[in-house]
């Protein structure tokens, strides 16, 4: 039976390939006239360049040479677009967002990994889930969760003190940021501890859920991921019978598929256990308003909601894995990037430390409250500038569900020299939203747009920044996207970053360890030491205690 299944899968892939080849040879696309980079292969197109681990050079070169709109080639000549034009992004993410949906393969992958969480659903189901979750990400709730953030970060602080109390030491800061981000979302998201953060004892390695979340990040690259996203996930997603779908995955002779399945199983089982525990507390009257974690609030609100607004048990369980993965990887990446930049720019580190120490001196308590943190100008400038130049996720995709006309803010020239102000988008076209390109567009941010300069946020920004009307929900940037699928937890992420930085920089000095660091793509950017195993990201730096005299 397994061999028959394999034959069926090969046949399916063959049909898809034949269809793409037929379109390439006989169907003329209106996108063919859009300028774009040359392809390495007439079969593979630009896919390898765009998704390889060291693809930043190709990515930035494409933005510099072709501007806000570039045509890319997919498998067998399929036309795709890389776009950061603000007017086009407004139509894609806001005005016509129901037409430009998440790519089918992206939704299918998320459903496999996270169940029916916020990242895995579309349309009315997504609207209903977001409505239910919005209150727990309000500023009022962020203020209430700030003490939880400080409790977790305090444990991190003590662990690092124990590391360097006898003198400076090289530490892998990515490992500590990942452990901390996971424990922060565990405690504030579901009142659940993944990691004690005690000394150098790595509870993460002993916790199967945490280990699975870390493994999943490493599975989001390579030929296995590309093949699965384009062929396997869309196929299995069409299978309405869960048991049969599971049998299909069990029969496939692929180690990558087995790894993904094992990770998904562990994440789902842990999410189920957490939700069952919460439900027992609610049934016993132990889960009251004093419980401030996200899942407790969600489950209480869901129980009292009208029938038509209520989420299913599967949808509630799906939020656990969704929140943990989204909060852990993106925030740990952003925090690691900031600390890495501060080792390269010690004068910025010193200026930021001085601001934090001065704020603490004028504060009755050692911990800065939510309102004090968000009012620190240089801390805010460092965070904003890092999220502008180095967003954790540099690219996202959408797929046009019908033929569309996409207007542009700035005209482009076709390969024939004709100037156009709109694009004809055929049904099924894949569009890559360039978050990095939108955040660093020289036409908007000026000739120094690619430079990391926190000071730019301490003075009025160029008028073109506001005039561009970028549809992002944060600081005229696309880092957290825009529209109904914008990042629901962006205030959570900012608070997390500021609490961690304010705690660490007041006590520790971070210095370059003298090792060349390469930030990998695709997916969420992660640091690696040059010449080491790409599946084991790391960010070593020299850590020492600050002399506060």
């Amino acid at each position: 039976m397994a061999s028959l299944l394999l034959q069926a899968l090969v046949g399916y892939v063959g049909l898809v390939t034949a269809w793409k080849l037929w379109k390439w040879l006989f169907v003329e696309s209106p996108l063919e006239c859009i300028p774009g980079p040359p392809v390495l292969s007439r079969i593979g197109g630009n896919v390898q360049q765009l998704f390889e681990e060291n693809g930043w050079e190709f990515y930035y070169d494409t933005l510099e040479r072709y501007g806000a709109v570039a045509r890319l080639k997919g498998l067998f000549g399929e036309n795709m677009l890389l776009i950061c034009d603000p007017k086009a992004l407004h139509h894609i993410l806001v005005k016509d967002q129901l037409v430009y949906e998440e790519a089918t393969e992206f939704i299918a992958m998320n459903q496999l990994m996270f169940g029916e969480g916020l990242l895995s659903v579309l349309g009315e189901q997504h609207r209903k889930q977001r409505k239910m979750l919005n209150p727990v990400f309000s500023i009022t709730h962020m203020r209430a969760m700030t003490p939880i953030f400080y409790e977790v970060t305090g444990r991190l602080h003590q662990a690092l003190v124990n590391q360097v109390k006898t003198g400076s030491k090289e530490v892998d800061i990515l490992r500590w940021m990942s452990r901390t981000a996971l424990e922060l979302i565990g405690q504030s998201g579901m009142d659940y501890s993944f990691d004690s953060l005690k000394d150098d004892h790595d509870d993460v390695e002993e916790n199967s859920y945490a280990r699975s979340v870390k493994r999943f990040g490493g599975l989001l690259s390579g030929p296995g991921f590309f093949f699965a996203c384009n062929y396997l996930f869309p196929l299995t997603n069409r299978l309405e019978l869960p048991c049969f779908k599971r049998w299909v995955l069990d029969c496939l002779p692929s180690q990558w598929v087995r790894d993904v399945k094992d990770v998904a199983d562990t994440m789902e089982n842990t999410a189920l256990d957490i939700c069952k525990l919460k439900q027992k507390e609610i049934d016993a009257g132990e889960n009251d308003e004093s419980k401030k974690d996200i899942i407790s609030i969600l489950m209480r609100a869901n129980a009292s909601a009208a029938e038509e607004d209520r989420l299913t048990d599967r949808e509630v369980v799906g939020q656990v894995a969704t929140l943990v993965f989204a909060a852990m990887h993106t925030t740990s990446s952003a925090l690691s990037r900031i600390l890495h930049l501060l080792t390269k720019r010690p004068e910025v580190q010193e200026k930021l430390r001085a601001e934090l120490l001065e704020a603490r001196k004028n504060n009755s308590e050692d911990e800065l409250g939510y309102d004090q943190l968000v009012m620190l100008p240089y801390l805010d400038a460092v965070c904003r500038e890092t999220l502008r130049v180095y967003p954790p996720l540099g690219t996202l995709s959408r797929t046009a569900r019908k033929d569309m006309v996409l207007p542009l803010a700035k005209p482009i020239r076709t390969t024939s020299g004709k100037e156009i102000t709109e694009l004809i988008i055929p049904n099924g076209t894949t569009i890559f939203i360039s978050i990095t390109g939108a955040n660093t567009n020289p036409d908007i941010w000026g000739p120094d747009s690619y430079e990391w300069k926190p000071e730019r946020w301490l003075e009025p920004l160029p008028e073109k920044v506001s005039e561009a009307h970028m549809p992002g929900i944060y600081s005229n940037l696309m880092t957290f996207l825009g529209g109904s699928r914008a990042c629901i937890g962006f205030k959570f992420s900012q608070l997390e970053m500021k609490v961690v930085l304010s705690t660490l920089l007041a006590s520790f000095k971070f210095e370059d360890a003298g090792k060349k660091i390469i930030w990998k793509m695709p997916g969420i950017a992660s640091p690696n030491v040059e010449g080491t195993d790409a599946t084991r990201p790391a960010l070593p730096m020299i850590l020492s205690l600050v002399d506060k005299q």
Side-chain angles (χ1 to χ4, degrees):
M1 185 62 72
S3 62
L4 289 176
L5 176 63
L6 181 59
Q7 292 176 34
L9 180 61
V10 171
Y12 168 78
V13 172
L15 288 173
V16 173
T17 302
W19 167 244
K20 288 178 178 288
L21 185 61
W22 184 84
K23 287 177 62 179
W24 174 36
L25 293 174
F26 301 110
V27 179
E28 184 175 353
S29 170
L31 300 178
E32 202 64 48
C33 65
I34 307 301
V39 298
L40 291 179
S41 163
R42 289 177 64 85
I43 296 177
N46 301 116
V47 169
Q48 180 181 347
Q49 295 163 284
L50 186 64
F51 290 108
E52 65 183 0
E53 291 180 343
N54 298 313
W56 292 111
E57 183 177 348
F58 169 79
Y59 191 47
Y60 283 116
D61 182 66
T62 300
L63 292 172
E64 184 177 351
R65 292 179 61 184
Y66 302 99
V69 179
R71 184 197 77 262
L72 302 177
K73 288 290 186 178
L75 290 176
F76 298 102
E78 178 184 2
N79 283 303
M80 308 180 296
L81 291 174
L82 181 68
I83 291 181
C84 58
D85 178 275
K87 190 172 185 178
L89 294 183
H90 175 77
H91 278 255
I92 294 168
L93 296 173
V94 182
K95 187 175 185 297
D96 299 316
Q97 60 183 291
L98 297 181
V99 175
Y100 298 99
E101 291 185 336
E102 297 271 18
T104 302
E105 55 269 18
F106 182 79
I107 293 295
M109 179 192 70
N110 286 343
Q111 288 180 349
L112 174 66
M113 301 306 301
F114 308 129
E116 295 185 28
L118 197 62
L119 293 175
S120 312
V121 295
L122 299 169
E124 178 61 22
Q125 190 179 11
H126 181 271
R127 186 203 65 78
K128 189 169 68 171
Q129 288 190 15
R130 195 171 180 104
K131 179 182 177 182
M132 189 70 72
L133 283 165
N134 272 331
V136 296
F137 289 103
S138 66
I139 291 177
T140 300
H141 192 234
M142 291 301 104
R143 289 192 180 99
M145 284 202 296
T146 303
I148 300 176
F149 281 42
Y150 273 113
E151 189 279 325
V152 173
T153 308
R155 284 188 269 145
L156 166 68
H157 177 270
Q158 186 57 54
L160 292 179
V161 167
N162 294 339
Q163 290 279 297
V164 298
K165 59 186 177 183
T166 59
S168 60
K169 182 179 179 181
E170 181 180 300
V171 299
D172 177 8
I173 207 66
L174 174 67
R175 175 171 167 269
W176 285 103
M177 292 303 97
S178 297
R179 292 176 64 183
T180 303
L182 180 60
E183 180 66 358
L184 279 167
I185 188 59
Q187 292 287 352
S188 60
M190 49 219 66
D191 191 25
Y192 184 91
S193 180
F194 290 106
D195 192 337
S196 67
L197 291 173
K198 289 182 179 178
D199 300 322
D200 201 29
H201 176 63
D202 196 349
D203 290 347
V204 170
E205 295 303 324
E206 298 178 356
N207 186 296
S208 60
Y209 185 90
R211 188 164 58 248
S212 294
V213 173
K214 290 176 67 177
R215 283 180 66 199
F216 182 47
L219 293 171
L220 298 182
S221 61
F225 174 68
F226 181 79
F227 174 83
C229 273
N230 280 272
Y231 301 110
L232 179 59
F233 290 156
L235 174 62
T236 58
N237 198 47
R238 294 190 181 100
L239 303 175
E240 298 298 329
L241 300 173
C243 292
F244 182 66
K245 183 188 296 188
R246 175 63 183 229
W247 179 79
V248 170
L249 294 176
D250 287 340
C251 289
L252 290 173
S254 166
Q255 184 60 48
W256 188 89
V257 170
R258 285 194 288 270
D259 289 343
V260 169
K261 181 169 59 66
D262 290 344
V263 168
D265 286 346
T266 302
M267 293 169 70
E268 181 181 16
N269 291 335
T270 305
L272 280 169
D273 290 342
I274 291 173
C275 290
K276 287 178 181 177
L277 177 62
K278 294 294 175 188
Q279 191 59 55
K280 285 183 180 179
E281 292 176 354
I282 292 174
D283 294 341
E286 300 172 359
N287 194 312
D288 55 23
E289 297 297 325
S290 64
K291 291 279 189 177
K292 299 295 185 181
D293 62 279
I294 294 171
I295 297 301
S296 288
I297 295 174
L298 173 64
M299 293 181 72
R300 292 199 302 266
N302 195 49
S304 60
E307 184 66 32
E308 63 271 16
D309 294 328
R310 199 170 297 167
L311 306 184
T312 65
D313 290 344
R314 288 185 60 83
E315 287 179 289
V316 173
V317 171
Q319 307 310 326
V320 175
T322 298
L323 292 173
V324 170
F325 178 78
M328 174 186 170
H329 285 283
T330 54
T331 305
S332 61
S333 173
L335 278 167
S336 298
R337 179 78 79 164
I338 290 174
L339 293 173
H340 185 216
L341 290 165
L342 293 179
T343 66
K344 301 296 183 180
R345 295 282 298 278
E347 75 282 4
V348 174
Q349 183 178 164
E350 289 301 322
K351 184 176 179 179
L352 180 54
R353 181 177 295 109
E355 179 184 75
L356 293 168
L357 291 175
E358 184 66 24
R360 287 191 171 201
K361 187 188 304 182
N362 298 327
N363 191 41
S364 58
E365 299 181 7
D366 196 37
E367 297 174 355
L368 300 174
Y370 176 88
D371 295 289
Q372 293 167 298
L373 277 173
V374 298
M375 292 300 292
L376 293 176
Y378 203 58
L379 175 61
D380 191 60
V382 168
C383 291
R384 287 179 191 266
E385 184 68 350
T386 304
L387 293 172
R388 183 187 74 84
V389 183
Y390 303 107
L393 192 63
T395 309
L396 276 177
S397 66
R398 294 289 187 269
T399 301
R401 299 304 180 190
K402 66 178 183 179
D403 294 342
M404 292 293 289
V405 175
L406 186 63
L408 303 174
K410 181 181 178 180
I412 64 170
R413 290 195 178 276
T414 66
T415 52
S416 64
K418 180 182 178 181
E419 191 174 88
I420 59 174
T421 58
E422 58 186 25
L423 305 173
I424 299 175
I425 308 294
N427 182 17
T429 300
T430 296
I431 297 175
F432 295 106
I433 297 170
S434 176
I435 297 172
T436 302
N439 289 354
T440 57
N441 189 337
D443 292 338
I444 297 174
W445 291 90
D448 63 350
S449 63
Y450 289 104
E451 295 180 36
W452 186 74
K453 297 172 61 175
E455 286 73 19
R456 77 171 75 240
W457 295 95
L458 302 178
E459 53 191 37
L461 296 173
E463 290 184 4
K464 288 184 177 180
V465 173
S466 58
E467 292 172 354
H469 300 294
M470 198 67 72
I473 58 172
Y474 171 76
S475 297
N476 298 294
L477 303 175
M478 292 306 303
T479 304
F480 297 103
L481 289 185
S484 66
R485 297 190 75 87
C487 176
I488 195 172
F490 78 100
K491 292 186 181 72
F492 183 100
S493 176
Q494 292 175 74
L495 176 61
E496 184 176 345
M497 291 166 60
K498 290 180 178 181
V499 168
V500 172
L501 291 172
S502 67
T503 301
L504 297 188
L505 287 169
S507 299
F508 301 103
K509 182 178 181 179
F510 298 85
E511 297 178 277
D512 193 338
K515 298 176 181 178
K516 186 174 180 179
I517 303 299
I518 299 173
W519 287 80
K520 302 288 187 179
M521 64 179 298
I524 298 170
S526 61
N528 282 76
V529 178
E530 185 179 41
T532 61
D533 185 355
T535 64
R536 296 183 178 275
L539 181 58
M541 55 182 64
I542 304 299
L543 188 67
S544 59
L545 290 169
V546 170
D547 183 3
K548 298 181 182 180
Q549 301 300 321

